[in-house]
Amino acid sequence: MARKTRYVVGLDVGTTKTCTIICEVNDEGALEVVGVGSAESKGMRRGVVVNLDGAVSTIKKSVEEAESSAGTSVESVFVGLSGGHIQSFNSQGAVAVTAESREIGRADIRRVLETAKAVSLPSDREIVHVLPQEFVVDGQDGIGDPLGLLGTRLEVNCHIVTGSTTAAQNIVTAVNRSGLIVADTILQQLASAESTLSEDDKELGVGLVDVGGGTTNLAVYTYGGIRHSSVLPLGGDQITNDIAVGLRTSILEAEKIKREHGCALSTLVEEDIEFEVSTVAGRQTKSISKRILCEIIQPRMEEILTLVQEDIRQAGFERLLGAGLVITGGTALLEGVVELAEQTFDLPVRPGSPRGLAKMEDALIAPAYSTAVGLVLYGYRAHAHRWIGHPDGDNFLKRWGSRLFSRKRGKL
Ligand SMILES: Nc1ncnc2c1ncn2[C@@H]1O[C@H](COP(=O)(O)OP(=O)(O)OP(=O)(O)O)[C@@H](O)[C@H]1O
Ligand SMILES: [Mg+2]
């Protein structure tokens, strides 16, 4: 078993920025932010590593910054996993309870989860998460924790996430080459959901949409459990590209304009202000109206949201989202995104900012940090036994779904 430690570290290697959050477990078992580091990402494309050296230098920069602000060095990190290679499906498992007393034990739970994950996968894919949705004991469904109940037959419904073995290994290798051990790889939207959604959201039915720079990560929860997850290889960087092409300016200038003047819904542009844009060569400037900028942004944002909608519809959950949608990730800051999503989905939509850690500075309570904050929270909960003073340290079930099935990798 890993040595108990006081620090929990989340490392979000995004397509546009990489962020490290170091938290310390305080005497009450709560997590306090002690260090944050951020670096512009290099070597990443649409959520996956495409250049190892670039990714390593980015990770080192972000981790070193966090270490120096925390005044400590870190050994292992929870790292996020993303990319178009991620696939998910739901699965079931069933076993007979073995004890003569018919009392359901840990071994039964372990076995039933093993049967649920016994699906044949192509040799280049592996299981990333097995996430139990509910247990069924002798036909009684909706059971969250069957440990100690009496029964003869134990069933489980699970959400299984798979990914490309090589893509998953590449991010682990990048972290290892940065001198760190991977405590676990966690699907990015599970982390974002951990920091932005409430239990009520998950119970009522909610879609978590993390629109980053290169990917849009989706997770759907109903009746308290995750039912669907997917990664779309499209994000805010496409909007920036469209602006650069449309206004014939540089990517850097397009990004600045998007953040300062961008709007995703034309009906929100009341006063048609004009602003200056420098041309590609940078020698001249021209005047552009906010309405024209909006005409470039809106169709691309609509495309992203429509793809999310189709994905949710195909999975069969469009009518089950009582709590609506939560939009997070850096693109959630784009003016009009929430309103455009409300129009597209005809559902309540709210922006999601991360919470759940103590001593979070205002700059950290921003949608772009939902994944990084969530990695700390998810890792801490799913690996409770590792931390000194975790209130759920002995709670076997609080950590299933991750520890039981996490790959044993990442040793230097
Ligand atoms: N104020 C803002 N207005 C509009 N867009 C913004 C704003 N701030 C950030 N963004 C956009 O958010 C995107 C980056 O989001 P985020 O930091 O969540 O991405 P990431 O985690 O690096 O990427 P990914 O999750 O796709 O791998 C960029 O496209 C950026 O332009
Ligand atoms: Mg991200």
Side-chain angles (χ1 to χ4, degrees), residues 14-17 212-215 236-237 255 258-259 329-331 333-334 368:
T15 311
T16 51
K17 57 98 191 57
T215 59
D237 289 354
E255 178 71 27
K258 180 176 80 170
R259 292 186 188 215
T331 304
L333 289 177
L334 183 64

Side-chain angles (χ1 to χ4, degrees), residues 12-15 17 188 192 210-213 215 217 329-330 368 371:
D12 172 22
V13 189
T15 311
K17 57 98 191 57
Q188 287 187 7
S192 299
D210 184 322
V211 194
T215 59
N217 298 345
T371 306

Side-chain angles (χ1 to χ4, degrees), residues 195-214:
S195 67
T196 58
L197 301 183
S198 67
E199 291 308 311
D200 280 356
D201 290 330
K202 294 181 187 173
E203 205 57 53
L204 283 167
V206 70
L208 182 278
V209 189
D210 184 322
V211 194

Side-chain angles (χ1 to χ4, degrees), residues 12-18 41 44-48 82-83 188 210-217 232 234-240 255 258-260 262 328-335 337 367-371:
D12 172 22
V13 189
T15 311
T16 51
K17 57 98 191 57
T18 292
S41 289
M44 298 295 294
R45 197 176 165 81
R46 298 191 200 282
V48 299
S82 182
Q188 287 187 7
D210 184 322
V211 194
T215 59
T216 295
N217 298 345
L232 306 172
L234 214 62
D237 289 354
Q238 266 74 41
I239 299 173
T240 306
E255 178 71 27
K258 180 176 80 170
R259 292 186 188 215
E260 275 176 29
T328 192
T331 304
L333 289 177
L334 183 64
E335 188 192 336
V337 158
Y369 295 114
S370 296
T371 306

Side-chain angles (χ1 to χ4, degrees), residues 213-256:
T215 59
T216 295
N217 298 345
L218 169 71
V220 174
Y221 292 79
T222 64
Y223 308 111
I226 182 162
R227 310 285 148 175
H228 177 63
S229 57
S230 63
V231 179
L232 306 172
L234 214 62
D237 289 354
Q238 266 74 41
I239 299 173
T240 306
N241 273 330
D242 291 351
I243 297 170
V245 172
L247 301 185
R248 295 208 189 94
T249 187
S250 66
I251 294 282
L252 216 62
E253 177 82 351
E255 178 71 27
K256 191 168 143 264

